[in-house]
Structures are given as C-alpha cells and as structure tokens.
Amino acid sequence: MISRGGEFGVVLGAIIGALAGWTLRSSVRSEFARMQGKHRESAHAATAPLTQPSTAQDPMLPDAAWFQSDERSTPASETVSVETSLRPEADPTMAAEPAPPPNTFTAPPPLSSQPVEPNIVDKVVSAAMAWLTGGNTVVRIGVVVLFIGLSFLAKYAAENALLPVELRLALVGASGMALLLIGFRLRDRRKGYALTLQGAGVAVLYLTVFTSFRLYQLVPPGLALAVMVSVCALSTAIALMQNARALAFIGFAGGFLAPILASTGEGSHVVLFSYCTLLNLAILLIAFRRSWRLLNLLGFFMTFGIATAWGALRYTPENYASTQPFLIVFFLIYVLTAVLYALRHSTELKASLNGAVDGTLVFGTPLIAFGLQVGLVREFEFAMAFSALALGAFYLLLAAGLLKRKQASLRLLTESFLALGVGFATLAVPLALDARWTAAIWAVEGAAIFWVGMRQARWMPRAFGLLLQGVAALAFVGSIDRGMHSALPFANPSFIGAMLLALPAFAVAWWVRQPLAQSGSTFAQGYAQIEATLEKPVFLFGFFWWVMAFWLEITRVLPSSTGAHSFAWAHVWHVNLGMPAYVFSAFMAERVAAHKGWSVAAWPAYLTAPVLMLAALINILDGNRLLASAGSLLWLAGIIAHLIVLRRIDRRAPPAWFSWMHALGVWTLVILLADTLVYAVDRGDLWHTAWGAVVLLVAGSAVLLCLAFVPTSRRFASHWPFSHFARSYAWVAAAPPVVGVYLGSLLVALSSRGHAAPLPYIPLLNPTDLAVALALGALTLWLLRLRSSDMQVPDIVQRTSPKAALFFAAFIAINTVWLRVAHHYAGVHWDATTLFNSFLVQTGYAILWTLLALGLMVLAHRRAQRPLWMLGAGLLGLTLAKLFLIDLSNAGGTERIVAFIAVGILMLVVGYLAPLPPNPATQQTLASGVRA
C-alpha cells in the first residue's frame, strides 16, 4: 500500500531515474567516442598491412549507430565508419580472389538540411537537460535532490510536531545560508560547483521567508517583503561579482515574486509599482555592464504581467493620475534596456550582421505598453489618438538620434524604431479622425514611406507604402456613402480625401516609370519584377481618384437641420459637370505626357469620346435637354477639348482600335443634334404635324450626305482626320446613321399624313414626300460613293442586297404618296383599315403598280436586262392577283371597271413596247453560228 505522499515520490523517483539514466547513457556514448578516436589514431599509425583481412566484426565493439547518433560526435569531414577503421588493408596478391561480403550496416537516410524549429516544450526540456548535463551533472542532480529532501523534512517535521515551527524554519534558513556561504567560499576553486550551491541557498532562503509569512504567519508582511528584497539584493551583488547570470535570474525572480507572495490583498498599488520600479532600475543598471538578455526578459514579463493583472482586477479611472507615471517609467526603462543591449552587442558582432536586436523588448514593449495605455485612457476623448501620436513621435525621434551615430551595426535597431514610429503615427489617424481623413493621411504617408524606401534602395518600405495606399483607398470607399454631406465647396473631407488619394498615386507612378535601385536579395529581385509593372495601374488608380474628387464635389449634399437634404448642384448639372471634369482632366494629362514624355499620362485622353457619348445618352434618358440650360456651353467646351486631344493623339501613331474613337465622336454629335432638334420640336409643339418627323429625318439625311461625300472627297483626302481615318467616318461612323435614316424613311412614309400647316398639301412637293425622297437619295449616294472608293469595306456593300433594300423602300414610299393623295383629295380617313377597305385606294394601287411594272419592263427591254424585266413582270402578276382577289369584290362599283380597263390597256402597251429581252447566252450562240 502506498503511504501518504507516495504518489509524488513515485513520480519524482521516475523523473530522477530518467535523468540519471539519460546522463549515464550520455557518459557511455562519450566514452565510446573517446575509444573510437584512440582506435582511429592507432590505425593511422600502423604501417604494415595484415595478410588476411578479417571479415567478422568484433562482438565486443558497440554498434555503429551508437556513434552516429551521438550529439558529441566528430564533424562529418573527420568521421570514419567503424568497419573501415577496423578492416586492415588488403594484400595486393589477393586481388584476383573474390572478396568476402563486407560486414556493413545501412546508414540512415540523410536528414533535411533545414532544421525544424523546436516548440516551446522542446526548448524548456532542452534547457533543463542542458543545465543538468552541463558542467558537474552529479552535483546539480544532488542539489535538486537535496532541495526536495529539505522540503520533505520540513513537511514531516510539521506533520509530526517533532520541533517547534520557529526552530524548524530557522534550521531550514540556516541550511540555505550555509549553502550560500559554502558556495561563495568555493567560487574561485570550483566555479560551477559553487554557483550551484549559491543558487540553492538563495532558493532555500526565499522558501523560508515565504513559509514563515504565508503558512505560519510568524512575520508581518512588511518584514517578509523587506527580507525578500534583501535576499534579491544579496544574490544580485554576488552574481555581478562572479558574472553569474543564472544566480541573478534566481535573485530577481524571487524579488518580483516577493510582493505577490507577501500580498494580503489590501496593499497600495503605488507601493507595488514603486517596488517594481526599483527592481527594473536595478536591471537597467546591470544592462549597462552585462548583456544578460534572460534577466531583461524576466523583468519585462514580470513587470508588465503584474501591471496587466492589477489593471484587469483593480484599476478604476480614479487611479489614473497615480498609475500613468509608472507606466511611462516602465516603458522608458525597457526601451533603454533594448538600446543598451544593441549597443553592447554592436561592439561584439561583425558589422555585416547589422547588429543585434532583442525583438521581444523592441517590439513587445510598445505593444504591451500601448495596450495598457488604452485601458488607462479609454474614458478620455481622443486620449488614445494622442497616446499613439506621442509613441510615434518618440520612436521617430529615437530613430533620428540613432541615425546620427552613423553606426552600421545599429542599422537594424534604427529601422525597427522607424517602423514603430510610422506604425503608431499611422494608428493615431483613425483613432482621431473619420475614415475619409484617415484614408487621405494614410495615402500621403504611403507615398512618403515609398519615397524613403526609394532613397534607401530598400524594397520592403516601398512595398509597405503601396500596401498602405491600397488600404487607404478601401477605407475611403467605405466612407463615401455616409460622408458626402458638407456645406463647404471643395474644402470638405470628400474632395480633399479623394485628391490626397490621387496625388500620392501620381507621385508613385512617376517614380516607378524607371527601374529603382534595390539590393541583390531574392526578395528584392522578385519585388523589382512586380514594381516594373506598376507604373500604368498606379497612374490610372490616381487618375480615377482625381476625377472621383470632382464627382464627389458635384454630387455633394448640403446638410440640413430638418433632415431634408438637397444637392449642392441640381441633378440636371451632375452629368453636364462630370463630363467636362473628365475631359479637361484628360486634356491636362495629355499635355503632361507631351511635355514630360510620360506615355501613360495620355491614356485617359484615349477615352474622351466614350465619356462624351455616355454623358449624352444619360442626359437623354434623364430627359435633360442641352439647350434648356447653360450646359450647352460646357458641352461646346468639352467637344472642342476632345477634338484637340483627338488630333494630338493621332500624331502619336495610336493603336488600330483608336479609329473607333473617331466613330464614337460622330455618333455623339448625332445624339446631341437629335437632342437639340427634339428640344426645338417640343418648344414648337410640332409633334402633331408632319414637321416633327420631317425635321429629324432631314437632319439624319444631312449627316449621311456629309459622311458620304467629305471622307471620300479628294479635296479632303489629305486633311486631318480623313487622311488616316477616312474609313472610320465613311463606313464605321456612317453605319448607324444609315440604318437610322433607312428605318426613319419607312416610318415617316408609313405614318405621316402630310399635314404641314401652314403650307398646303401638294403631292410630291410636301415636306413628307420631299424628306423621304431626300433620305432615299442620301442612302443611294452613300452606297454609290462607298462602292466607288478604294477603302476596305465588307463584302455586303458590293452585293445586290443593299440595292434590293433601296428598291423596297422606294416602292413603299411611292405607294404612300398615293395614300396621302387619297386622304387629302378624296377624304379617305387616315387609318390602316379604312385605307385598305377603300376601293378607290385599291384601284389606284392597281393602276400605280401597272405603271411601275410598265416602266421597269420598258427600261429592261431597252437595256436588255432580263432580271429587271422579270421584276416588272412579277409586279404585273401581283397586280393581276390583286384585281381578282380584292378589286373583283367591288360589285357594281365604278372603281372596279376603271381598274380592269386601265390595267388591260397598260398591259397591251407593255406587250407592244417591252417584249421579253432575248437571253444573252442564246444570243451569243446565234451570233457564233452566223460567224461560222
């Protein structure tokens, strides 16, 4: 049966046994390694080879894997396998005989060249093993066993009441003092042994004081704290005398734990933090003489750990005044400690290493201190922002001071402080300002960081600057919806914020137009490849925000106390102001491109035509008319700027797709002309007359005539823009107007009644008929000019389908002329059903179609064109079909008599004047026979 406390004894015994076994195993390995070295030396010393090689391995020798796994083995270049070192040289006379198979073992596969980073548990275990096995292992294990034994002795004596508690504690304390004194006496003869005894003595003294206060209440808290401080001071003093870092660590660990162990929960935080300040000042003084990083980290974690725990449990805003000074002092102590650590190492390390930086202190101190500062000042407005700004200014000044030293070994520390300064200054912005101002300042800051990286030939600051500008843009986008209210024009966060996004982007794009200097590292070369592609996207990014700044100003909303918000500019002005904002900006950018040789700056000018067209379409969809406001002046200025930019770009040998920009410009002008004419028709109230449709059709025909004659004219062939873009105007730009005029002519011919008051209706001489004739004439002339030109056009232009479409439109137009005549002179109501059911209209159609067929067939006969004659014959056949299907139903009507008689007479005339022309193939065959 296991006695009381036996479980702990079993576990402790297992641990000690494992440590002893591991130590014994290491000792055995070391002994075998020593034996192997002696054997190798004797093998090299031998000069006479053996006559017969031994093929069996000595069973008394250890397995070779023992030596391969030993961490204290010799370097790879000096190691020799066991088998090779034991095998004698072969006799040359025995070379012909087959050698026996070697007694070898398979070597383990080589480990990866990249070591695996151990985790925290492995590090702790490795540190404990290193302490136990380094130096006098037996003594160190003995100290551990002795410390545990004294603890058991104190517990046993307490449980069995063998001695008074005061005497028991006095004996334990005396043993601690004895260990400390013996160790101090042996410091010169056996240093490692002595330090082990001194560390054990200090630990026993801390244990005695703690037990006396916490378990038995034999001493008051103040006295216990004073004794612990004395022990800490004593251990620190003897540690400095002996340059013993571990002893100092034990002493300060007890010093920091003393107020915690002696605490009753009712003490003053001022006393607590004053005590921590004294300990930290002691660590700072040690840092002036020793580079004991472990001691620095102990003070750092204990100080801020105690402060964090107290702040989470006890802090109230009333304690701010008595707490803030201590936080500042703690912060300054460990910043100075980090600087001292770097300064001491700068004299010990090579300059190529750029110095040593304790990353935990350098970066951990401001982060933890700022976190505690946030907890202190969260109740005060803007206090967090000013705190971040003060930290940023402090680190920037500190970096500037280190730069003045011009010491290469401090370069890494200087850059770390510079990064912290920039980071806290950046953090101060969103803590104090809204997202728009934050984005603006971040963008400017990003450009400044990029400039610093450019001057220093460092890729990382440049990458961070670009990243900061991207983050700034995202932050600004998130604030647009709720940040457009302002009573001030231009001097508002939206306009200024967008401008401050644009201008830094322009600066970065200008800087990266040429390759920037960079180091030869792999990361720098990879970043340089990315940076080489950034000029164009960064410039376009900046131009976008430049135009967006004006758009945000145009759509600015005026704040109102009643909640009824209104635009600073009326809605009708939004597009009419946005269009010149882009066009004039592109105009200026193109000028910069021309003067500075910066080609990407001209890119926005390539898109002025689409912007103009889009703005025109939006105006039409919104029902805005250019002549209804002063916007027409802005459009005139915008079109002039567009034409100037268009001509300048044409001189740059633009890409082939840019020819479409000329066509888009024409289409925009057509849209603006249509908008103007619609406005004029609205003002004249002409939509209920024939004038409304006629005006639009005539304007379209005039545009088509210009596109048909001007680009293909020899007079303008050498002038801009037709010298290089004639096809863009005569074909690409004219195609939509051609379709519009064609459909418009059909629509006007079919829908217009011909009322053109105050003018009387005269057949063929009224506005409707004349406009339709003009449209068909313009279409015909455009087709003829295009066919006769030498420009490349689609094959459909040369086919018969365009002619057939024109014939069809002309046939419809001629038929509608008769409809309007019947409407005006015969009083037939202008309605599709009424007109179709009118026998007068049908009779007129029969006679008209016969006359048209007569004309076609006579013309075909004279020109010997059988297809044209067949077309007339088809129309005549259609007329006959109509006579028997429609006109014959008019029983007893005079219209039927007239129709049949007239058609019959005309058919007789056709038969006499226009018989079927001979077949050209047959005629050619007859001519050949005659000649034969």
Side-chain angles (χ1 to χ4, degrees), residues 63-276:
D63 193 292
W66 278 70
F67 302 107
Q68 288 187 348
S69 62
D70 187 8
E71 64 183 4
R72 293 180 175 85
S73 60
T74 56
S77 60
E78 299 178 5
T79 58
V80 181
S81 67
V82 176
E83 182 209 354
T84 305
S85 63
L86 297 180
R87 182 183 301 130
E89 296 182 4
D91 190 349
T93 61
M94 302 293 292
E97 298 182 4
N103 185 14
T104 60
F105 60 91
T106 304
L111 299 177
S112 174
S113 60
Q114 297 182 353
V116 179
E117 182 69 19
N119 54 37
I120 186 63
V121 178
D122 294 337
K123 290 181 179 179
V124 172
V125 173
S126 299
M129 293 299 103
W131 180 80
L132 284 174
T133 59
N136 197 328
T137 305
V138 178
V139 173
R140 297 189 179 186
I141 296 178
V143 168
V144 174
V145 174
L146 177 60
F147 186 81
I148 297 173
L150 291 174
S151 302
F152 286 163
L153 175 61
K155 182 179 180 183
Y156 179 79
E159 291 176 350
N160 295 276
L162 296 179
L163 296 172
V165 63
E166 293 83 356
L167 181 58
R168 295 198 300 267
L169 292 175
L171 290 175
V172 174
S175 65
M177 290 296 297
L179 290 173
L180 185 61
L181 292 174
I182 294 172
F184 188 75
R185 292 286 301 272
L186 297 176
R187 66 185 184 280
D188 296 328
R189 287 176 288 176
R190 303 186 63 179
K191 183 176 182 180
Y193 181 80
L195 290 177
T196 304
L197 294 181
Q198 292 175 65
V202 171
V204 170
L205 290 177
Y206 276 127
L207 176 65
T208 304
V209 177
F210 172 73
T211 305
S212 301
F213 164 72
R214 179 62 66 184
L215 297 182
Y216 302 106
Q217 293 80 38
L218 297 178
V219 294
L223 180 59
L225 179 61
V227 174
M228 288 186 179
V229 172
S230 301
V231 174
C232 176
L234 177 63
S235 61
T236 303
I238 62 177
L240 289 174
M241 291 175 59
Q242 304 172 73
N243 195 24
R245 179 178 57 185
L247 188 59
F249 181 88
I250 295 174
F252 274 97
F256 279 107
L257 290 175
I260 301 175
L261 299 177
S263 174
T264 61
E266 298 178 356
S268 170
H269 67 280
V270 176
V271 176
L272 173 65
F273 292 146
S274 299
Y275 172 75
C276 291

Side-chain angles (χ1 to χ4, degrees), residues 381-422:
E381 186 178 8
F382 296 117
M384 289 186 288
F386 284 116
S387 299
L389 186 61
L391 271 177
F394 171 79
Y395 275 108
L396 291 176
L397 291 175
L398 192 57
L402 292 176
L403 280 175
K404 291 181 179 180
R405 295 177 64 95
K406 297 181 179 180
Q407 191 169 343
S409 59
L410 295 177
R411 179 178 180 180
L412 186 56
L413 181 65
T414 303
E415 292 178 352
S416 300
F417 285 160
L418 181 61
L420 287 170
V422 172

Side-chain angles (χ1 to χ4, degrees), residues 895-906:
E895 294 86 353
R896 181 178 61 177
I897 299 172
V898 174
F900 274 83
I901 293 175
V903 171
I905 294 174
L906 290 175

Side-chain angles (χ1 to χ4, degrees), residues 455-727:
R455 294 294 301 272
Q456 296 180 349
R458 304 293 299 276
W459 71 271
M460 191 172 294
R462 303 206 297 261
F464 179 74
L466 293 173
L467 178 63
L468 191 58
Q469 286 189 312
V471 173
L474 293 177
F476 190 86
V477 169
S479 67
I480 287 179
D481 292 339
R482 61 180 184 275
M484 299 173 61
H485 298 76
S486 179
L488 298 176
F490 299 104
N492 57 78
S494 296
F495 179 81
I496 296 178
M499 276 293 173
L500 291 182
L501 285 173
L503 296 177
F506 287 150
V508 172
W510 174 258
W511 292 332
V512 300
R513 74 190 189 281
Q514 296 177 351
L516 299 179
Q518 45 92 15
S519 62
S521 66
T522 303
F523 291 106
Q525 293 176 358
Y527 170 78
Q529 296 178 357
I530 299 175
E531 193 177 67
T533 64
L534 293 180
E535 175 193 4
K536 296 176 177 60
V538 172
F539 175 84
L540 296 178
F541 172 84
F543 189 83
F544 168 80
W545 284 111
W546 172 276
V547 177
M548 181 59 69
F550 290 100
W551 180 253
L552 292 176
E553 173 61 30
I554 293 168
T555 58
R556 177 170 51 88
V557 178
L558 297 175
S560 174
S561 58
T562 62
H565 302 295
S566 60
F567 287 112
W569 295 88
H571 181 74
V572 68
W573 284 96
H574 289 178
V575 175
N576 291 332
L577 288 173
M579 177 274 300
Y582 180 91
V583 174
F584 294 154
S585 298
F587 179 88
M588 292 187 296
E590 193 278 332
R591 286 290 80 202
V592 172
H595 287 287
K596 299 296 183 181
W598 196 15
S599 61
V600 68
W603 281 24
Y606 285 71
L607 300 178
T608 53
V611 170
L612 288 170
M613 185 175 182
L614 180 62
L617 292 175
I618 293 176
N619 265 326
I620 291 177
L621 294 176
D622 289 344
N624 302 327
R625 300 290 176 244
L626 296 181
L627 295 181
S629 64
S632 56
L633 299 178
L634 293 175
W635 274 94
L636 180 61
I639 291 173
I640 293 175
H642 161 70
L643 293 176
I644 295 174
V645 167
L646 193 68
R647 184 165 187 176
R648 288 174 177 170
I649 293 178
D650 287 342
R651 296 172 180 172
R652 298 174 177 268
W657 61 266
F658 187 72
S659 61
W660 283 85
M661 299 301 104
H662 289 263
L664 285 176
V666 173
W667 299 341
T668 303
L669 292 176
V670 170
I671 293 173
L672 296 176
L673 177 62
D675 177 78
T676 303
L677 294 177
V678 168
Y679 174 75
V681 172
D682 284 337
R683 294 294 301 270
D685 193 20
L686 299 176
W687 287 116
H688 62 282
T689 68
W691 289 109
V694 164
V695 168
L696 295 177
L697 184 60
V698 170
S701 302
V703 171
L704 186 58
L705 288 174
C706 291
L707 294 175
F709 280 95
V710 176
T712 58
S713 173
R714 294 182 179 178
R715 180 180 179 181
F716 297 100
S718 58
H719 293 77
W720 180 86
F722 309 114
S723 57
H724 295 88
F725 300 99
R727 181 180 180 275

